[in-house]
Amino acid sequence: TPTREFVTGLPKAELHLHLEGTLEPDLKLRLAQRNGIDIGQSTVEEVRATYAFDSLTSFLAVYYPAMEVLQTADDFYELADAYLARAAADGVKHVEMFFDPQAHTSRGVPFEAVVTGYHRAAAEAPAKHGIDAHLILCFLRDLSAESAAETLEASVPFRDKILGVGLDSDERDNPPQKFADVFARARELGYRLTMHCDIDQVGSIDNIRTVLDEIGVDRVDHGTNVVEDPALVDVVRDRGLGLTTCPISNSFVTDDMKATEIAGLLRSGVRVTVNSDDPAYFGGYVADNYVALAEAAGLTTEEVVQLARNSFEASWLGNSQRAAYL
Ligand code: HPA
Ligand code: ZN
C-alpha cells in the first residue's frame, strides 16, 4: 500500500466536493462573530460536537443549519479560498466544486453574492494555489422542480462562471425523473450534467439506470450501488462514465466505506474516482480518502496511480488540458 506522502505527491483532480461541506469549525465561529449571528456554540470543540450523524438524512439535518453563518460574497470567497489552500496541500491540481445556491437564496442571500464570492476564489486559484478550479451548481432534490427551474434561470447571467449542474440533498422520494425537464434545459444552456446517486438508497439501482438512460448525465456522483447489476457496470465501463466515490463519507452515512465495491469497480476498468464530499464534516480531505481506501482494500501503487489518472479522465477539462495531466 502506498504511503501518504506518495498519495499527496500524486497530481489529482477532485470532482465530488461540496463547498458548503468544507466549513471548518474555526471558520464557522469567525463568520458567526463577524456577522453577529448567535449559533449557540463558542468553541471549536462545541461546533465539532454538533457535527454528528449516522445517515444521509441526519447529516443533512446538521449541514444546512450550519450554513446560516454564510451571508456575504466575502464569506463565500473565504470558504472556497480556505478549501483551495487545503486541497493544494493534498496535491489537487484541478477541482470541480459543488455549491447549493438554494440553501442560501432560501435564507434571503442573493444568488449573485453566492456565485460571485465563490467564483472570485476559483478565478484566483491558479495563481494563488496552483489549482484550476470550476463550479458546479447543484439543485436541492428535496425542493420542487419549479424551484430548481427558477434557480437554473437565475444562473443564466452567470453562465460563464459555472461549468455544470448537479443534484444533491435527500434522495429518498426524490428520484432523478423529478428533474428530467430541468436537466434537459440545463443541457440546452450548455452545462455539463451530473447527479448524485447516493449510497444504499431505496431504489439506488433504478436511479442509476435512470440517470444513465433518461437524463443522460456526463458523470454520476457516488453511484457505487451500480455493483448490484453487472450488466449496468459494463455499460458504465464501456461509456467511460466517471463515478465520483467518497470512501470516508460512505463510512459515516452507512457505517461501511464500501472499499470492496469501489476496488472491484476499479479492477473492472470502470472510471472510478476518489473524493472527499464534505471534508469538514467527515474529517478527511482527498488524500485521507485515498489512503483510507488503499488501506481498506489493499490497493497497489499502480491502482492508486490509476485512481488519480481516472480523476483527470472523468473531469470536464478540455482534451488538450486533460492531456497535460495524463
Ligand atoms: N449526498 C447528498 N447530498 C449531499 C451530499 C451527498 O453526498 N453532500 C452534501 N450534500
Ligand atoms: Zn456529495
Side-chain angles (χ1 to χ4, degrees):
T1 308
T3 62
R4 197 193 150 87
E5 289 63 43
F6 178 82
V7 167
T8 302
L10 206 53
K12 291 175 285 301
E14 181 153 48
L15 308 177
H16 187 153
L17 179 281
H18 300 264
L19 280 168
E20 291 85 359
T22 70
L23 182 61
E24 291 286 351
D26 57 342
L27 181 59
K28 186 183 181 198
L29 290 168
R30 197 154 59 71
L31 295 179
Q33 192 164 43
R34 185 160 88 192
N35 292 323
I37 298 170
D38 179 7
I39 56 171
Q41 305 120 32
S42 53
T43 67
V44 166
E45 290 69 33
E46 282 171 15
V47 177
R48 197 164 303 287
T50 69
Y51 287 11
F53 24 77
D54 59 5
S55 66
L56 179 60
T57 305
S58 61
F59 161 68
L60 295 171
V62 172
Y63 180 66
Y64 292 116
M67 295 177 198
E68 68 176 331
V69 301
L70 296 163
Q71 296 282 341
T72 67
D74 283 347
D75 300 342
F76 293 100
Y77 168 82
E78 284 181 41
L79 179 64
D81 186 62
Y83 160 70
L84 289 161
R86 189 65 192 68
D90 271 14
V92 173
K93 303 297 179 196
H94 173 82
V95 61
E96 297 171 8
M97 314 178 286
F98 297 131
F99 70 108
D100 284 347
Q102 291 157 293
H104 313 299
T105 55
S106 63
R107 303 181 284 118
V109 176
F111 185 95
E112 181 172 11
V114 181
V115 184
T116 58
Y118 282 149
H119 186 263
R120 182 153 52 92
E124 289 179 6
K128 192 169 178 189
H129 302 295
I131 299 187
D132 173 47
H134 299 271
L135 294 171
I136 301 175
L137 184 164
C138 275
F139 306 109
L140 299 186
R141 67 198 305 162
D142 47 351
L143 301 186
S144 67
E146 291 70 31
S147 175
E150 284 165 18
T151 304
L152 180 62
E153 296 315 318
S155 79
V156 172
F158 306 95
R159 175 66 195 81
D160 64 328
K161 295 182 166 59
I162 301 170
L163 185 58
V165 301
L167 186 69
D168 64 6
S169 199
D170 205 339
E171 186 165 335
R172 189 170 155 193
D173 299 329
N174 298 298
Q177 293 90 327
K178 177 174 166 184
F179 298 94
D181 291 346
V182 177
F183 274 67
R185 167 80 177 134
R187 177 185 289 117
E188 276 174 16
L189 290 168
Y191 288 116
R192 306 302 295 262
L193 311 181
T194 188
M195 281 190 175
H196 276 58
C197 290
D198 270 282
I199 303 296
D200 294 349
Q201 298 291 299
V202 175
S204 268
I205 193 72
D206 301 320
N207 288 351
I208 294 170
R209 261 186 227 112
T210 303
V211 303
L212 296 182
D213 297 344
E214 292 177 37
I215 311 294
V217 290
D218 301 302
R219 199 154 71 205
V220 180
D221 299 310
H222 298 293
T224 311
N225 287 76
V226 72
V227 297
E228 293 167 23
D229 182 347
L232 202 57
V233 172
D234 290 346
V235 171
V236 170
R237 183 198 51 224
D238 294 347
R239 286 197 207 164
L241 208 77
L243 300 185
T244 64
T245 76
C246 307
I248 296 176
S249 164
N250 295 347
S251 64
F252 271 88
V253 300
T254 72
D255 223 12
D256 180 350
M257 195 184 290
K258 305 291 180 188
T260 307
E261 290 81 352
I262 298 169
L265 288 165
L266 176 67
R267 290 166 184 155
S268 314
V270 172
R271 203 164 263 172
V272 59
T273 69
V274 168
N275 309 269
S276 68
D277 207 6
D278 301 285
Y281 289 85
F282 302 134
Y285 284 79
V286 72
D288 302 313
N289 276 272
Y290 273 71
V291 170
L293 177 70
E295 286 176 356
L299 299 186
T300 64
T301 300
E302 290 68 29
E303 287 170 334
V304 170
V305 170
Q306 186 63 45
L307 286 171
R309 283 184 67 84
N310 286 354
S311 71
F312 291 106
E313 285 177 341
S315 77
W316 293 336
L317 279 165
N319 284 334
S320 59
Q321 288 169 289
R322 191 193 342 264
Y325 293 106
L326 294 175

